Amino acid sequence: MEKAKKILVVLSYTLPGIIFATYILFLCFMPKEIAVHFNLQGNVNRYGSKYEWLIVAFLFYLVPLIMAVIFDKVKMSDKLKIVGLSVAVVVSITFICLTIFFLVKTISTSVSAIMYLENRISIILTFVGAAALIAAHILPFVYNKERFKSEIAKKYSYVLYILLGVCGFGIMIGTMLLSNFYSFIIFFAFIILSVLAWFVFKNIVKKKNTAKN
């Protein structure tokens, strides 16, 4: 049961990140106006800004992630946790299927959208942001705090992963919206800010520990 629970926890946290990253990467290849709504038969009945898909991306990301956090962190029986985490995974898989459907329908109805490389630099940087976002979901289970050498890093390892996730998230959104050479500014700014935030946090914690001793 413990092994099954661990697998479900990893999947329930990781899948939402993959879904969100997929949407952002998809939007990088799309022109500004694409199919944004379908009827019950699967036919397009409205075209609009590609950024409307961000609402769906956030929804498909947050719903299963919130479920994962609730059933992972809130105190309850192991059986209930497994049921809840299983539901979170099923919801993520359902959203993945819907995502594939939306992407296929959108591409098939927007021929000019296929391999639409408006700015390759922004797309490359967005891939880096996507990798950072997904890594922030996976690393806590692969590289746990016991493997950190720094005592502060061990104690506050999740701060590192949150900063990594915020950095990846910011890079993805920023470079996708700008789609030009200003993407470099967004890319390096978020990396520098994340590093600075960690050092500031580290020094504050060190001072507090010194004051206690």
Side-chain angles (χ1 to χ4, degrees), residues 70-138:
I70 290 172
F71 288 105
D72 179 35
K73 301 299 181 183
V74 176
K75 287 185 178 181
M76 60 185 76
S77 66
D78 284 343
K79 286 185 179 180
L80 187 57
K81 278 181 179 285
I82 288 176
V83 171
L85 291 169
S86 299
V87 172
V89 171
V90 169
V91 169
S92 291
I93 293 171
T94 303
F95 286 166
I96 288 172
C97 294
L98 287 171
T99 298
I100 293 169
F101 171 77
F102 290 151
L103 302 194
V104 170
K105 290 297 293 183
T106 303
I107 291 173
S108 64
T109 54
S110 308
V111 178
S112 62
I114 300 174
M115 296 305 291
Y116 185 81
L117 303 178
E118 184 179 2
N119 190 300
R120 292 175 185 175
I121 292 171
S122 289
I123 291 171
I124 291 169
L125 295 183
T126 309
F127 267 105
V128 175
L133 180 69
I134 294 170
H137 287 74
I138 298 173

Side-chain angles (χ1 to χ4, degrees), residues 15-34:
L15 291 178
I18 294 172
I19 294 171
F20 187 79
T22 301
Y23 268 104
I24 303 301
L25 292 172
F26 163 73
L27 292 175
C28 285
F29 289 87
M30 295 292 106
K32 290 182 179 178
E33 188 170 298
I34 58 175

Side-chain angles (χ1 to χ4, degrees), residues 48-86:
S49 171
K50 68 178 181 178
Y51 300 118
E52 289 185 39
W53 279 113
L54 284 175
I55 299 171
V56 179
F58 276 111
L59 182 67
F60 283 10
Y61 173 68
L62 290 175
V63 171
L65 188 62
I66 290 170
M67 290 177 66
V69 172
I70 290 172
F71 288 105
D72 179 35
K73 301 299 181 183
V74 176
K75 287 185 178 181
M76 60 185 76
S77 66
D78 284 343
K79 286 185 179 180
L80 187 57
K81 278 181 179 285
I82 288 176
V83 171
L85 291 169
S86 299

Side-chain angles (χ1 to χ4, degrees), residues 188-207:
F188 288 111
F190 269 101
I191 291 175
I192 292 168
L193 284 173
S194 296
V195 172
L196 284 175
W198 169 243
F199 274 108
V200 169
F201 180 79
K202 181 179 177 180
N203 288 328
I204 290 171
V205 172
K206 191 178 284 185
K207 284 180 180 179

Side-chain angles (χ1 to χ4, degrees), residues 166-204:
V166 170
C167 183
F169 175 83
I171 290 169
M172 290 180 72
I173 297 295
T175 55
M176 185 196 71
L177 293 176
L178 290 176
S179 297
N180 54 38
F181 284 99
Y182 289 109
S183 299
F184 273 122
I185 298 173
I186 293 290
F187 178 73
F188 288 111
F190 269 101
I191 291 175
I192 292 168
L193 284 173
S194 296
V195 172
L196 284 175
W198 169 243
F199 274 108
V200 169
F201 180 79
K202 181 179 177 180
N203 288 328
I204 290 171

